[in-house]
Structures are given as C-alpha cells and as structure tokens.
Amino acid sequence: MKYKPQSFEAGWQERWEADGAFRCRDEIESPKYYCLEMFPYPSGRIHMGHVRVYTIGDLIARFKRMRGFQVLHPIGWDAFGLPAENAAHRHGTHPARWTYENIDFMRHQLKELGISYDWEREFATCSPEYYRWEQLFFLWMIRDGLAYRKRALLNWCDECQTVLANEQVNRDGTCFIHDQARVTQRELDQWFLGITKYADELLSGHEELRGGWPENILEMQRNWIGRSEGAEIDFPLAGGEGKITVFTTRPDTIYGATFMSMAPEHPLVMEFARKAGREAEVRSFVDRVAGQDRIVRSSDELEKEGIFTGGYCVNPVTGKNVPIFAANFVLYEYGTGAVMAVPAHDQRDFEFAKKYGLPVVVVVRPEGEELRAETMGAAYEGPGLMVDSGPFTGRGNEEGKREVTLHFEERGIGRGKVQYRLRDWGVSRQRYWGCPIPVIHCGKCGIVPVPENELPVVLPENIAYTREKGNPLAALEEWIRVSCPSCKGPARRETDTFDTFFESSWYFLRYIDPKNDREPLDPGKMKAWMPVDQYVGGVEHACMHLIYARFFHKYLRDRGLAPGNEPFKRLLSQGMVCMATLECPKHGWRYPEEVEAGGNCRQCGEKVEVGRSMKMSKSKRNVVEPSALIGKYGADTARLFSLFAAPPEKDLDWSEQGVEGGFRFLGRVYRLVAQRENSIRAAGAFRGDHGEGSRRIRQVTHRTLKKVTGDVEERYHFNTAISAIMEMVNFLYLVEDPAWDSPETAPALREAVEILLLMLSPFAPHISEELWEKIGNAGLACRQSWPQADSEAARVEEILVVVQINGKLRARITADPEADEEEIRAKVLADPRVREHIDGKKMKKLVYVPKKLVNIVVG
RNA sequence: GCGAGAGUGGCGGAAUGGCAGACGCGCCGGACUUAGGAUCCGGUGGGCAACCGUGAGGGUUCAACUCCCUCCUCUCGCACCA
C-alpha cells in the first residue's frame, strides 16, 4: 500500500511510447494546438530550470490533449555553440561527439520526467539535414538584399588568434583564457541581416501579440527596438571639404550646439588628431576607452571623459566653429557615431561642458521663466520656448523641432529621420562548431554564393583538436580550397559559421515538417499548424531570441513559406529557480550534501551560513540534480512541486521540505485510492443522487473540477489548481469507511476518484495512470477526455453573506442562493450581532453586494 | 542613469475593489504503535482584551493587498540611445 513511484513510473513511460500516445499526426483531425517550450542547449545534463519549463509545457500539452485538441508537442536540440568547443579544447573531445553524447543523456533525463513529447519529430540543429535549409534561406537573403557585408568591430585576442564573444572578455578588458592578454578591437568583414528593415513591423506587431504575451516582455522589446524620431543634420568641416552628419532628437536645440562628441572608435577621430598633431594623446585616450569592457563603458559610474581631437566643424545655423571631441559615452554603433552637443539641454553634454570649460548657450526656456547659462546647475531638458534661435525665436520647441527639420530639408543639409536603437543582426562567427556560411571567396569574382544544388555545405567533422589557436576550419586547406562556381578558377570557402540564434529562429517551423528532404518547409503544413499556440520559455530570451525569431518568421512569410505575421500567439515566460546558498567560512560555497543535518560543514565542522535564495547555479553550488531528485521521490513529485511552489511567471524557491510535502500529498492520493481499490471497482457508475451524502460528495467534486479547469485553462494558476485538488483529497479522507461500500454513496465516490485522477493526470501523470488502472479502467488516463463539470451538482444550497458595519466585519448570515436584496436586508437587520452595533445609531447607508456582502454605514 | 518587476504569518504562497493569510512547509497537540523521522485526526498572524495587522506615508471609496500620488528596499534586463 506504500507509494513507490520508482516501481511504476518507467513502466508507464514505456506504455505511452508503445501506444504512441503523444504522437501527432500531420493531418489535422480535431482543432490543433501547438505547444512549444524553448529547446535546450545540450550542455550535459538537465537542470531545475529545464524541469520547470518542460513541466509547465507538458501540463499545458496534456491538458489540451484531454480537452480534445490535436496537440503538437515537439522537442529538439539547439546543438551548435561555444561550450562544445570549449569542452573540446579542455578534454580533447570532439564537439560533435560531446554534443551527441550530451543529447543522449539529456533525452534520457527528459523521458525520465515523463514529458509527453512526440519524439518522432526530434532533431538536432547540428545535423546537415537541418542546417542545409538555413543555408538556403541565407542564399535567398543575399539575393533579396537582406544579408549584406559590413566591416564591424570585434573583440580580438592575440593569444587565441580569434574573436571573442563579449562574455569571453573579462571586466578589465583581458581575455577569459589568457588573463594577461589585452583584448583589442579589430575590424573584420561580417555578414549582417537587415533586421532593421522590419523594425517598424516588429514594433507594430505587438498589437497582435497584446493579450497573449506578457506586457513586460513587450515593453522590453519596445525599448530594445527603441524607435526615436529626430533629424540628421550635416555639420560642414571647418576650413575644408567634407561634413559630419549627426542624428539628434532635439533639432530645436541646434542653436545651442557648442561642440561635437564622437565615438572614440570613429575613424575620423584619429584623422583629425593626425592633422592637428595630437596623435599621441588622442591615441592613448582612444585605446584606453576602446579597451574598456562594454558593461563598464555603459555603466552609470563611468565618469564622462573626452579629449579634443584637434578638429572643428561649423554649426550650420550659427556659423560658429565648434570643436570636435572624442567622448567615452558616445556609441559608435548607434546613429552616426557622432552627436551634436547641446550642454544647456542635455545633461550628459552639460557635465561634459562643465568639465572641459566649454560654452553653455541657452536656446529653450520654460514658459514664464528665465534661464541663465551662468546659474544653471543642470541641463534643462523640458519643453519651452525657443530663444536666441534666429528666425525660430519665440516658437514652442515641439513645433520648432518640425520647423527646424523642414528648414534643413529645404536647404539640403538635414532631413527628418526615424532612428532605431535596434541594430542589424551580425550573424558571422569565427568558430568551428556552427553552420557553415555557404559562400565562396574568389579573387576574381569576389563573393560568390554556393549554388543551391550544391547545398548543404557540410561542416567537416574529421578534424583533430590539436590546433589550439584560431578557428580549426581555417586550417582545413582541403575543405577550403574550391573552384569558383562562377569562373571555375581557384577560390576559397568562407570559414565563418552562423550565430546559433540563426538555428533557433526557425526550428519551431521545422518541427511541423521535420523530415522533409525536398524543401525546407511544406507551406500547406505550415498553414495548418502555425502559429505556435503556446510558447514557454525564460525571460532571458525576451529580446534577442524572440525578436530574431519574429523577424525570421516575417521574412519567411514574405517568401511565402510561413503563414501569418507572428509565430507565437501566446508566450509564457517562466521565472527562475532559486535556492538558498550555503557558505562555509573556510570552504566557501557548499552543496547541500556537503552540509550535515545540524548545519555544519562536513569537511571542517564549521557552522555554515545560510544565505538568501538566489538563482540556482553551479558556481554558487545551490543546485539540486534532477536525476537525484527523481531517484528519491519520482518524477511526479518533481513535477508537482515545480508547479505548486509558485505561479509559473514568478521565481520559484526550491525547498527540500516543500518537495517532501508534494511527495506526501501524492502518497496520500495513492493510499486513498489503493486502500479502497476493491470498493471503487465494485461501485456502479453514478446515475443520480441517492441522498444527502451523495449530494455532498458530488458538490465537492464538481466545485473542485470547476475551479481546477478554470485555473489551468484561463488563469494559468497551476499552484492554486493543485491546492484545490489537495482540498478535495482532504475531504475524501474524511469520508467514513462504510460510505465507500454503501450503494447510496459509492457511485458518487467512484465518480469523485475518477475525476480526481483525471484532474491530476496532467500534473502527475504516472500515479494517475497507475491508479486509473487499479480501479479497473482499461484505457490510458492521459487519453481520456477532461471531465465535464456538472454545475447543477456543484450548486450550493446556502450562501454566506458577510455583514460589515462601517467597513468592519461584524456578522455572517446564511441565506438561500435565490434570496433577493429585500430578504437579505431583512435577515441582516434582524441579526442580534448587527442590532448590537446599530441600535441607537442613525443608519446612513446600506451597501449590498449581491450574494456576498452587506455594509451598513451608521453615524 | 534608463527600462521591467516584486515587497502579505517563522517559510513558499492565496485573495474579478468586498471575510486578509486558501493550500503546502514548519511548529504544537492527540490517535495508532515495542518504536516513530511512517500514517491518521486536530490546532497554529499578533494581542489577555478592545483591537492591531499586507514595505512607509498620504489620497480616492461605504469598503483598498488590490486603484492614484510620494517615498523606501530588493530582484532582473540594458547597447549612457543623443
């Protein structure tokens, strides 16, 4: 009679597989439902974050299946990426082998959790059968002018002889492997995708997503795309040819532009310095700033710094010469990399001007107030009237923005411009373990796309990991040397590979048609199955992945492959899994198993300090191994606790004791049913009430069913759904023994248990199957229809009305559910506790909230 | 600095503007038992009480955890967005 999940969970997993319970046919036979969780990077083993996201997705998938939908619930592997190469360097394992071994292990772990995937659709993005198609997409993008080449600055480590990701650069600007090596900026030709062409649509698409996506994610994307309206203005160079174009959102302040700031990386900076003989000092400033970590450079703490380049340009409206500075806060990647500085009306410029003694000229003043440059303690960034602005003086500054821009357009020295913060997507990576970029470099013809019929360009896997430095592909001469598809002369393959976000930008489409070897995607199937009805994943992908995937989908839509404008109808972004940290004064972070029950370090016996709950991470050792957890409590407990401990979008605090509670609850369910097994089997189907006991049981059953259905379907409040099920179980435990065998109540109890097991099935599927079978049912529980709540049975015979006097709770009365206001009012006023509070006082008001509350205001 | 969130018992958390603390953990008590760290049953915000209690202070309302304003603290994201 003991609940031993280890004795039956694996058996049910085999049964599901054998029955093809989660296989999804291509042909749609009932309303489709596409439930997708963000696919994992095969890092080695799954962690609690995975358990959480896949459990949430599985709950939804299983629920929708029982609701009669044809559910597509696939899984695969985001299998290209840096860690595989790092592992190769560290342990000498080939990235391919490392990756496929990890996949095998993690697949096993996911199966152990009992997630209801259609495994027939599984793929790894590192297989040529997958990536060949994105090579094709890329060729289309080149043809459509969406993919183009541009020089871009990258982190370069001389020791590694390769480009580093931002995360591989230490804070102090050194390499993560060679902490003596200074990371420098190097300009390389890179492939870019013109995502900014879709910037406006990515923004306006939010209208379609509103309601289905969390508002905070949309907000984050909005800020990421960062549309701003302003103007480009040309500043001629003083005493020479050429001009510098700036972007500004404040063309109305042009008369106050007293200097110009440029990004230190801007090529013109050194040019000015050379001409002015200031090369040495400017070079040292530029090197220092460029070497700074990006985070450091963008930090608020960073003091605004700059250096005079030696160059001047001319303010086009005042005609005055303005000095050009290189400044650490100007970003090369945004706008034109140069900013007109208006110290009176921009705080950064103000601080900069004060520091370097540059003139401050007021050109906008708040209405009805004076503003004097000499007495200003900070920039005035608010609205007002334009002053000292030539013909625009006296104009409101909002109006001025438009008129100044118009004026420039007429003179041909400026133009209105919408600028995005979003930048085009650089997809080139100088790495081995990625999808080869299918182009060939020919000395004569330049860049030549690999002909479509020669795809895929297969990533050669027969490489030895002896080479320590650089991209191993670059050393594979036999692979690199090809003849030019165009002139047949000698040429060389591109050795860069794609950013791995490329793979994750369309995998959700490929799941619909994973085996197609004639074309990337069958448009008919796409039309039938897209969009993804529910996408589940972490908030860390709010901007990059989710914007790239939306962009890709829009591009494929334009190519006629993907239907609709948006790929993900609903998004659930789940919170992090956190756990308290344990810190030994001698040994630092401790794993839970490194600490004795009494709270002392196993190694030294010192008292271990229990720290606040933080995101689970190996480095802090505050982790729980899913497999260990499943081994001890079973998959159902792991799942149940993940869903019960917090609502999905909030962070979840892991607690071993909480897990125990979940296990105990499932044990209670198990014993409740297993102990009554024979009685339940013997009971007939429910055919109508037989008295008060039966009615009461059915009332609880159907009220619970109603609540659980609503919580899962409408509110996505899985934790409260579970607590409702717990209440129902508590109730069933209080049912007296004879009732289980009495013909009056047994059928209602049988119905209660069946509904209980079906409700539990998406949360804790294994125990539900086990008990479902135990009470004599043949088919799989997960294939049953979600039960229908009988609202007649759920009806209560009495309602509780709360009585407040002056807003304070003073009494409770019960009434007939059909009672009208008159009856309830009379009943309330007759209540002795109410009389006590109102007698002798003047009744000013009586508020009646139907069937719920009466509030009497007395004076 | 900007942006997004969150502050409710000892803990995780409940509560369409309508009984604050459902459910679970922990703790306390009881039953069963040779035994209990199993199981079952019950109790459990503070205060002797009137009452007081949802980060602090204001406001709106018959009624505020919930709406509005000011502030504090914490978490997350960020590319100083000109």
Side-chain angles (χ1 to χ4, degrees), chain A residues 544-560:
Chain A
M544 313 261 271
H545 162 62
L546 286 169
I547 289 182
Y548 293 149
R550 292 180 58 217
F551 154 68
F552 235 77
H553 188 263
K554 288 174 192 298
Y555 172 68
L556 293 175
R557 171 205 62 193
D558 293 344
R559 298 277 327 189

PDB file of all heavy atoms in Angstrom, chain A residues 544-560:
ATOM      1  N   MET A 544      16.557  39.131 -27.545  1.00  0.00           N
ATOM      2  CA  MET A 544      17.297  38.579 -28.674  1.00  0.00           C
ATOM      3  C   MET A 544      16.526  37.472 -29.398  1.00  0.00           C
ATOM      4  O   MET A 544      16.090  37.659 -30.524  1.00  0.00           O
ATOM      5  CB  MET A 544      18.636  38.040 -28.180  1.00  0.00           C
ATOM      6  CG  MET A 544      19.365  39.003 -27.271  1.00  0.00           C
ATOM      7  SD  MET A 544      20.633  39.913 -28.128  1.00  0.00           S
ATOM      8  CE  MET A 544      21.989  38.824 -27.913  1.00  0.00           C
ATOM      9  N   HIS A 545      16.400  36.308 -28.771  1.00  0.00           N
ATOM     10  CA  HIS A 545      15.795  35.178 -29.472  1.00  0.00           C
ATOM     11  C   HIS A 545      14.395  35.511 -29.981  1.00  0.00           C
ATOM     12  O   HIS A 545      14.056  35.212 -31.129  1.00  0.00           O
ATOM     13  CB  HIS A 545      15.745  33.946 -28.568  1.00  0.00           C
ATOM     14  CG  HIS A 545      14.787  32.897 -29.031  1.00  0.00           C
ATOM     15  ND1 HIS A 545      14.920  32.267 -30.239  1.00  0.00           N
ATOM     16  CD2 HIS A 545      13.667  32.394 -28.468  1.00  0.00           C
ATOM     17  CE1 HIS A 545      13.926  31.411 -30.391  1.00  0.00           C
ATOM     18  NE2 HIS A 545      13.150  31.470 -29.343  1.00  0.00           N
ATOM     19  N   LEU A 546      13.594  36.106 -29.131  1.00  0.00           N
ATOM     20  CA  LEU A 546      12.202  36.319 -29.520  1.00  0.00           C
ATOM     21  C   LEU A 546      12.060  37.381 -30.612  1.00  0.00           C
ATOM     22  O   LEU A 546      11.113  37.342 -31.389  1.00  0.00           O
ATOM     23  CB  LEU A 546      11.352  36.671 -28.289  1.00  0.00           C
ATOM     24  CG  LEU A 546      11.073  35.472 -27.383  1.00  0.00           C
ATOM     25  CD1 LEU A 546      10.467  35.915 -26.062  1.00  0.00           C
ATOM     26  CD2 LEU A 546      10.145  34.481 -28.076  1.00  0.00           C
ATOM     27  N   ILE A 547      12.994  38.301 -30.682  1.00  0.00           N
ATOM     28  CA  ILE A 547      12.938  39.275 -31.771  1.00  0.00           C
ATOM     29  C   ILE A 547      13.488  38.658 -33.059  1.00  0.00           C
ATOM     30  O   ILE A 547      12.913  38.815 -34.135  1.00  0.00           O
ATOM     31  CB  ILE A 547      13.686  40.573 -31.395  1.00  0.00           C
ATOM     32  CG1 ILE A 547      12.881  41.329 -30.335  1.00  0.00           C
ATOM     33  CG2 ILE A 547      13.886  41.456 -32.625  1.00  0.00           C
ATOM     34  CD1 ILE A 547      13.473  42.641 -29.904  1.00  0.00           C
ATOM     35  N   TYR A 548      14.586  37.911 -32.941  1.00  0.00           N
ATOM     36  CA  TYR A 548      15.146  37.266 -34.129  1.00  0.00           C
ATOM     37  C   TYR A 548      14.144  36.296 -34.745  1.00  0.00           C
ATOM     38  O   TYR A 548      13.990  36.226 -35.970  1.00  0.00           O
ATOM     39  CB  TYR A 548      16.427  36.506 -33.781  1.00  0.00           C
ATOM     40  CG  TYR A 548      17.574  37.393 -33.375  1.00  0.00           C
ATOM     41  CD1 TYR A 548      18.535  36.959 -32.466  1.00  0.00           C
ATOM     42  CD2 TYR A 548      17.707  38.677 -33.903  1.00  0.00           C
ATOM     43  CE1 TYR A 548      19.603  37.773 -32.091  1.00  0.00           C
ATOM     44  CE2 TYR A 548      18.765  39.493 -33.531  1.00  0.00           C
ATOM     45  CZ  TYR A 548      19.710  39.034 -32.613  1.00  0.00           C
ATOM     46  OH  TYR A 548      20.739  39.836 -32.246  1.00  0.00           O
ATOM     47  N   ALA A 549      13.475  35.526 -33.896  1.00  0.00           N
ATOM     48  CA  ALA A 549      12.530  34.533 -34.406  1.00  0.00           C
ATOM     49  C   ALA A 549      11.337  35.226 -35.074  1.00  0.00           C
ATOM     50  O   ALA A 549      10.862  34.788 -36.116  1.00  0.00           O
ATOM     51  CB  ALA A 549      12.052  33.619 -33.275  1.00  0.00           C
ATOM     52  N   ARG A 550      10.890  36.321 -34.485  1.00  0.00           N
ATOM     53  CA  ARG A 550       9.777  37.059 -35.100  1.00  0.00           C
ATOM     54  C   ARG A 550      10.212  37.616 -36.447  1.00  0.00           C
ATOM     55  O   ARG A 550       9.453  37.591 -37.416  1.00  0.00           O
ATOM     56  CB  ARG A 550       9.314  38.189 -34.171  1.00  0.00           C
ATOM     57  CG  ARG A 550       8.639  37.708 -32.883  1.00  0.00           C
ATOM     58  CD  ARG A 550       8.204  38.891 -32.018  1.00  0.00           C
ATOM     59  NE  ARG A 550       7.298  39.769 -32.723  1.00  0.00           N
ATOM     60  CZ  ARG A 550       7.303  41.105 -32.602  1.00  0.00           C
ATOM     61  NH1 ARG A 550       8.162  41.689 -31.788  1.00  0.00           N
ATOM     62  NH2 ARG A 550       6.448  41.824 -33.290  1.00  0.00           N
ATOM     63  N   PHE A 551      11.439  38.116 -36.492  1.00  0.00           N
ATOM     64  CA  PHE A 551      11.978  38.669 -37.738  1.00  0.00           C
ATOM     65  C   PHE A 551      12.071  37.585 -38.816  1.00  0.00           C
ATOM     66  O   PHE A 551      11.623  37.768 -39.950  1.00  0.00           O
ATOM     67  CB  PHE A 551      13.350  39.287 -37.440  1.00  0.00           C
ATOM     68  CG  PHE A 551      14.284  39.347 -38.605  1.00  0.00           C
ATOM     69  CD1 PHE A 551      14.025  40.181 -39.686  1.00  0.00           C
ATOM     70  CD2 PHE A 551      15.443  38.577 -38.620  1.00  0.00           C
ATOM     71  CE1 PHE A 551      14.908  40.236 -40.759  1.00  0.00           C
ATOM     72  CE2 PHE A 551      16.321  38.622 -39.685  1.00  0.00           C
ATOM     73  CZ  PHE A 551      16.052  39.447 -40.767  1.00  0.00           C
ATOM     74  N   PHE A 552      12.649  36.450 -38.470  1.00  0.00           N
ATOM     75  CA  PHE A 552      12.805  35.346 -39.405  1.00  0.00           C
ATOM     76  C   PHE A 552      11.453  34.914 -39.965  1.00  0.00           C
ATOM     77  O   PHE A 552      11.295  34.661 -41.142  1.00  0.00           O
ATOM     78  CB  PHE A 552      13.429  34.156 -38.662  1.00  0.00           C
ATOM     79  CG  PHE A 552      14.685  33.636 -39.290  1.00  0.00           C
ATOM     80  CD1 PHE A 552      15.876  34.323 -39.125  1.00  0.00           C
ATOM     81  CD2 PHE A 552      14.685  32.459 -40.028  1.00  0.00           C
ATOM     82  CE1 PHE A 552      17.054  33.838 -39.680  1.00  0.00           C
ATOM     83  CE2 PHE A 552      15.857  31.978 -40.595  1.00  0.00           C
ATOM     84  CZ  PHE A 552      17.040  32.654 -40.422  1.00  0.00           C
ATOM     85  N   HIS A 553      10.499  34.842 -39.058  1.00  0.00           N
ATOM     86  CA  HIS A 553       9.173  34.406 -39.459  1.00  0.00           C
ATOM     87  C   HIS A 553       8.567  35.385 -40.458  1.00  0.00           C
ATOM     88  O   HIS A 553       7.941  34.986 -41.441  1.00  0.00           O
ATOM     89  CB  HIS A 553       8.277  34.269 -38.227  1.00  0.00           C
ATOM     90  CG  HIS A 553       6.958  33.647 -38.518  1.00  0.00           C
ATOM     91  ND1 HIS A 553       5.821  34.398 -38.738  1.00  0.00           N
ATOM     92  CD2 HIS A 553       6.589  32.352 -38.646  1.00  0.00           C
ATOM     93  CE1 HIS A 553       4.816  33.572 -38.977  1.00  0.00           C
ATOM     94  NE2 HIS A 553       5.248  32.328 -38.925  1.00  0.00           N
ATOM     95  N   LYS A 554       8.777  36.655 -40.226  1.00  0.00           N
ATOM     96  CA  LYS A 554       8.244  37.654 -41.148  1.00  0.00           C
ATOM     97  C   LYS A 554       8.938  37.556 -42.505  1.00  0.00           C
ATOM     98  O   LYS A 554       8.304  37.702 -43.555  1.00  0.00           O
ATOM     99  CB  LYS A 554       8.407  39.064 -40.566  1.00  0.00           C
ATOM    100  CG  LYS A 554       7.448  39.323 -39.413  1.00  0.00           C
ATOM    101  CD  LYS A 554       7.709  40.670 -38.755  1.00  0.00           C
ATOM    102  CE  LYS A 554       6.972  40.789 -37.440  1.00  0.00           C
ATOM    103  NZ  LYS A 554       5.507  40.705 -37.587  1.00  0.00           N
ATOM    104  N   TYR A 555      10.234  37.285 -42.468  1.00  0.00           N
ATOM    105  CA  TYR A 555      10.947  37.134 -43.736  1.00  0.00           C
ATOM    106  C   TYR A 555      10.418  35.912 -44.489  1.00  0.00           C
ATOM    107  O   TYR A 555      10.128  35.978 -45.679  1.00  0.00           O
ATOM    108  CB  TYR A 555      12.456  37.016 -43.512  1.00  0.00           C
ATOM    109  CG  TYR A 555      13.185  36.679 -44.785  1.00  0.00           C
ATOM    110  CD1 TYR A 555      13.252  37.604 -45.837  1.00  0.00           C
ATOM    111  CD2 TYR A 555      13.753  35.419 -44.991  1.00  0.00           C
ATOM    112  CE1 TYR A 555      13.873  37.288 -47.035  1.00  0.00           C
ATOM    113  CE2 TYR A 555      14.375  35.094 -46.177  1.00  0.00           C
ATOM    114  CZ  TYR A 555      14.434  36.030 -47.198  1.00  0.00           C
ATOM    115  OH  TYR A 555      15.041  35.712 -48.389  1.00  0.00           O
ATOM    116  N   LEU A 556      10.280  34.792 -43.791  1.00  0.00           N
ATOM    117  CA  LEU A 556       9.789  33.580 -44.444  1.00  0.00           C
ATOM    118  C   LEU A 556       8.342  33.753 -44.909  1.00  0.00           C
ATOM    119  O   LEU A 556       7.933  33.176 -45.905  1.00  0.00           O
ATOM    120  CB  LEU A 556       9.933  32.373 -43.516  1.00  0.00           C
ATOM    121  CG  LEU A 556      11.392  31.980 -43.231  1.00  0.00           C
ATOM    122  CD1 LEU A 556      11.458  30.858 -42.208  1.00  0.00           C
ATOM    123  CD2 LEU A 556      12.112  31.558 -44.515  1.00  0.00           C
ATOM    124  N   ARG A 557       7.603  34.568 -44.192  1.00  0.00           N
ATOM    125  CA  ARG A 557       6.253  34.910 -44.641  1.00  0.00           C
ATOM    126  C   ARG A 557       6.335  35.631 -45.989  1.00  0.00           C
ATOM    127  O   ARG A 557       5.623  35.295 -46.925  1.00  0.00           O
ATOM    128  CB  ARG A 557       5.584  35.823 -43.611  1.00  0.00           C
ATOM    129  CG  ARG A 557       4.257  36.429 -44.074  1.00  0.00           C
ATOM    130  CD  ARG A 557       3.939  37.727 -43.343  1.00  0.00           C
ATOM    131  NE  ARG A 557       4.955  38.740 -43.614  1.00  0.00           N
ATOM    132  CZ  ARG A 557       5.087  39.871 -42.929  1.00  0.00           C
ATOM    133  NH1 ARG A 557       4.273  40.138 -41.924  1.00  0.00           N
ATOM    134  NH2 ARG A 557       6.039  40.729 -43.241  1.00  0.00           N
ATOM    135  N   ASP A 558       7.251  36.583 -46.074  1.00  0.00           N
ATOM    136  CA  ASP A 558       7.394  37.327 -47.326  1.00  0.00           C
ATOM    137  C   ASP A 558       7.834  36.419 -48.465  1.00  0.00           C
ATOM    138  O   ASP A 558       7.586  36.709 -49.627  1.00  0.00           O
ATOM    139  CB  ASP A 558       8.393  38.473 -47.150  1.00  0.00           C
ATOM    140  CG  ASP A 558       7.849  39.543 -46.201  1.00  0.00           C
ATOM    141  OD1 ASP A 558       6.631  39.527 -45.949  1.00  0.00           O
ATOM    142  OD2 ASP A 558       8.642  40.366 -45.715  1.00  0.00           O
ATOM    143  N   ARG A 559       8.496  35.313 -48.120  1.00  0.00           N
ATOM    144  CA  ARG A 559       8.912  34.358 -49.140  1.00  0.00           C
ATOM    145  C   ARG A 559       7.818  33.333 -49.403  1.00  0.00           C
ATOM    146  O   ARG A 559       8.044  32.378 -50.141  1.00  0.00           O
ATOM    147  CB  ARG A 559      10.174  33.608 -48.683  1.00  0.00           C
ATOM    148  CG  ARG A 559      11.382  34.479 -48.470  1.00  0.00           C
ATOM    149  CD  ARG A 559      12.129  34.771 -49.741  1.00  0.00           C
ATOM    150  NE  ARG A 559      12.074  33.669 -50.699  1.00  0.00           N
ATOM    151  CZ  ARG A 559      12.795  33.617 -51.801  1.00  0.00           C
ATOM    152  NH1 ARG A 559      13.640  34.604 -52.072  1.00  0.00           N
ATOM    153  NH2 ARG A 559      12.691  32.615 -52.626  1.00  0.00           N
ATOM    154  N   GLY A 560       6.686  33.473 -48.723  1.00  0.00           N
ATOM    155  CA  GLY A 560       5.560  32.571 -48.950  1.00  0.00           C
ATOM    156  C   GLY A 560       5.642  31.246 -48.206  1.00  0.00           C
ATOM    157  O   GLY A 560       4.899  30.317 -48.494  1.00  0.00           O
TER     158      GLY A 560
END
